[in-house]
Amino acid sequence: MKYNEISHYSHPHNLKFEYAEAPFMCDGCKEAGIGSRYKCCGGGGGGGACNYDLHTHCALPSPSIRHPFYTKCSFQFLSRPPGPVARYCNACQKDVAGFVYHCSLCGFDLHPCCAKLPMMIDDGEIKLYLCGRKGRSWSYRSSCKKYNLHVACVREMLVDSWHEIYYGAWGNSYTGSSRRLEGEIPSLRSTLQTHNHKKSKGKAQKCCDVAGLALQFVISAVLGDPTTLIAALVGTLMSK
């Protein structure tokens, strides 16, 4: 269930639900997002809004979840990764730097958006099914076995490029209140083309061979909003 306006323990001001037509950085999980988000709408007494955003999955998390890939696991929602050792998401293989679903029994971790990836994506022409191996490397595969799109590959093609731009000018520290992704990142199409130019053969090329709207749906799902509306927006950005 979505709410028009919420309060969240991670931020002193209320957050308002809206659609973002440009990618943003989630201040909860520290990952890129697009589409639906909760954005700071300012403090009381006329206080201005902060540059604070949350994926809907981060703004309205479940206290605990179970996932069909890990039948013996119970994932608890945490505000930060547990322990002193660096951790990575078992779905996309990328670092966990903020909000996370963690299983203390198995030690597995999932970014909130990865934990909520749809098990099946249907673009009207192709059905892609989410597959996972225990521990790492999830992918979307078609029943005809012609298409295989790794979640890690989508992250590599898109999010890493945006992270580099987002963090590069200021180093590795993060102060979400003063930094924005919007207007500073390359379009999805240029990022895909650059990645394909560097790795024109192999897995990356196969990832980009997915036909129709399927790729757009997978990208929007990985970025936190697997809806038809956002898939169309992703397609528009890819065409620029």
Side-chain angles (χ1 to χ4, degrees):
M1 179 181 295
K2 293 183 176 66
Y3 302 91
N4 185 53
E5 190 170 315
I6 64 170
S7 61
H8 197 275
Y9 68 88
S10 67
H11 191 67
H13 304 149
N14 282 358
L15 307 176
K16 188 175 181 178
F17 179 80
E18 66 172 33
Y19 279 97
E21 294 189 356
F24 61 89
M25 179 65 70
C26 175
D27 290 273
C29 66
K30 316 301 184 189
E31 294 295 318
I34 196 170
S36 58
R37 66 176 171 183
Y38 279 90
K39 181 178 179 63
C40 177
C41 54
C50 308
N51 288 325
Y52 191 88
D53 304 287
L54 293 177
H55 291 114
T56 55
H57 297 316
C58 292
L60 303 171
S62 304
S64 64
I65 63 169
R66 292 188 176 275
H67 198 280
F69 292 163
Y70 307 100
T71 56
K72 297 181 180 180
C73 293
S74 177
F75 290 88
Q76 308 299 314
F77 181 82
L78 303 177
S79 298
R80 60 181 63 86
V85 180
R87 310 193 67 84
Y88 71 93
C89 174
N90 289 90
C92 69
Q93 304 181 37
K94 299 304 178 183
D95 292 342
V96 171
F99 292 179
V100 62
Y101 283 102
H102 173 73
C103 176
S104 58
L105 178 63
C106 299
F108 293 155
D109 298 282
L110 297 173
H111 289 128
C113 289
C114 290
K116 301 298 179 69
L117 285 171
M119 298 301 295
M120 190 270 286
I121 288 175
D122 183 359
D123 75 345
E125 297 180 3
I126 300 171
K127 290 184 179 180
L128 297 175
Y129 298 90
L130 187 63
C131 304
R133 288 191 296 115
K134 190 172 184 179
R136 58 189 301 170
S137 191
W138 293 9
S139 64
Y140 277 101
R141 300 177 187 175
S142 61
S143 55
C144 65
K145 299 182 180 180
K146 183 178 179 180
Y147 304 114
N148 184 31
L149 183 61
H150 288 262
V151 173
C153 189
V154 173
R155 289 283 188 191
E156 183 181 356
M157 287 189 293
L158 302 172
V159 182
D160 282 0
S161 298
W162 298 348
H163 271 257
E164 182 178 352
I165 291 174
Y166 190 76
Y167 289 117
W170 299 280
N172 293 324
S173 61
Y174 177 80
T175 53
S177 62
S178 61
R179 300 175 190 169
R180 304 297 294 162
L181 270 177
E182 298 176 24
E184 300 177 8
I185 66 169
S187 71
L188 293 172
R189 172 177 282 279
S190 64
T191 306
L192 287 167
Q193 289 175 338
T194 300
H195 185 86
N196 248 8
H197 179 71
K198 293 179 180 178
K199 298 182 178 182
S200 60
K201 296 181 180 180
K203 182 177 69 173
Q205 179 64 43
K206 292 178 182 178
C207 286
C208 297
D209 286 340
V210 178
L213 292 171
L215 177 60
Q216 298 172 30
F217 274 101
V218 172
I219 291 172
S220 59
V222 170
L223 298 183
D225 194 346
T227 63
T228 303
L229 175 64
I230 302 305
L233 172 60
V234 168
T236 301
L237 289 173
M238 289 177 66
S239 67
K240 292 181 179 180

